Amino acid sequence: MTFEFDIERLRHLPETPLKALRRSFWWVRKTFFSKPKPENPAVVVAMDEPEAEAFLGERFFEPGWEMSYSYRNEIVNLRRVRYVRDHPSGMHWWQTHIRGYSHPDGLELAAHFEPEPAEHPDAHVDGDYIDVPRGNATLVDILEEAGVDFRRIGDWEDADVDAAAGGTTVDVDA
């Protein structure tokens, strides 16, 4: 008996078992690993979910929800990973993580800088070294560079002081 392999069938793989598995993982995450939205400072932009994902995707952000908690009413979850050679923690792999929520004026985007979960799972899950000012400073820089109008919401006073001092290490729930 001879078995043949039809390579053309592979193009449908994302539409079948893997797509169902990914959807199941998403459901489990939303059902068992959801938390209330943190009250971190954020920006509001006149974008919807697809526009924000395209805008940030063009700036090397990728969907990262598979390895993160789900915050209630979250509709955008993107991250950009980078290597930081001289971080005081000694850890080298970090991510800027941006979450988005519906807002009456568009989309609320909140960012933080944190250990990359695949490389530093314990620090990530424990919420060690989360730096909200640094994440938001990165987000604001991206928006300003692209000429995107935004409005700050939340308590930016402390965040601005910390960012001006080069950012701080802040422990918050991840």
Side-chain angles (χ1 to χ4, degrees):
M1 174 176 263
T2 303
F3 290 98
E4 293 184 13
F5 181 72
D6 184 357
I7 192 80
E8 281 297 309
R9 293 187 58 78
L10 286 179
R11 68 185 170 96
H12 295 288
L13 193 57
E15 301 165 10
T16 54
L18 291 180
K19 187 174 185 178
L21 181 62
R22 188 171 193 260
R23 174 80 176 152
S24 296
F25 190 69
W26 175 87
W27 182 89
V28 166
R29 176 181 165 266
K30 289 285 195 180
T31 303
F32 297 107
F33 298 100
S34 285
K35 301 168 75 169
K37 176 180 154 303
E39 294 302 320
N40 291 337
V43 298
V44 176
V45 295
M47 294 182 189
D48 61 17
E49 176 186 355
E51 290 170 326
E53 287 181 347
F55 173 79
L56 292 166
E58 291 168 346
R59 285 148 184 88
F60 307 103
F61 283 82
E62 66 176 0
W65 62 263
E66 295 91 348
M67 297 188 73
S68 72
Y69 285 107
S70 168
Y71 287 109
R72 292 190 187 97
N73 303 316
E74 169 189 294
I75 58 173
V76 171
N77 188 327
L78 301 170
R79 70 189 192 128
R80 181 170 71 187
V81 175
R82 67 177 285 208
Y83 185 87
V84 179
R85 184 177 310 274
D86 58 353
H87 194 277
S89 69
M91 291 184 282
H92 298 296
W93 289 101
W94 295 81
Q95 68 181 15
T96 300
H97 193 170
I98 299 176
R99 295 174 184 272
Y101 309 89
S102 289
H103 188 276
D105 298 329
L107 188 65
E108 175 184 335
L109 298 174
H112 58 277
F113 188 75
E114 65 186 337
E116 198 281 331
E119 293 298 317
H120 309 294
D122 292 337
H124 185 87
V125 170
D126 292 344
D128 295 338
Y129 304 104
I130 291 178
D131 192 337
V132 172
R134 184 172 179 170
N136 274 330
T138 298
L139 175 58
V140 165
D141 286 348
I142 289 167
L143 296 170
E144 286 177 342
E145 184 177 300
V148 174
D149 290 330
F150 63 91
R151 178 173 55 90
R152 296 174 190 238
I153 61 172
D155 186 8
W156 278 81
E157 186 173 308
D158 291 336
D160 286 340
V161 169
D162 293 339
T168 61
T169 303
V170 181
D171 290 330
V172 297
D173 291 334

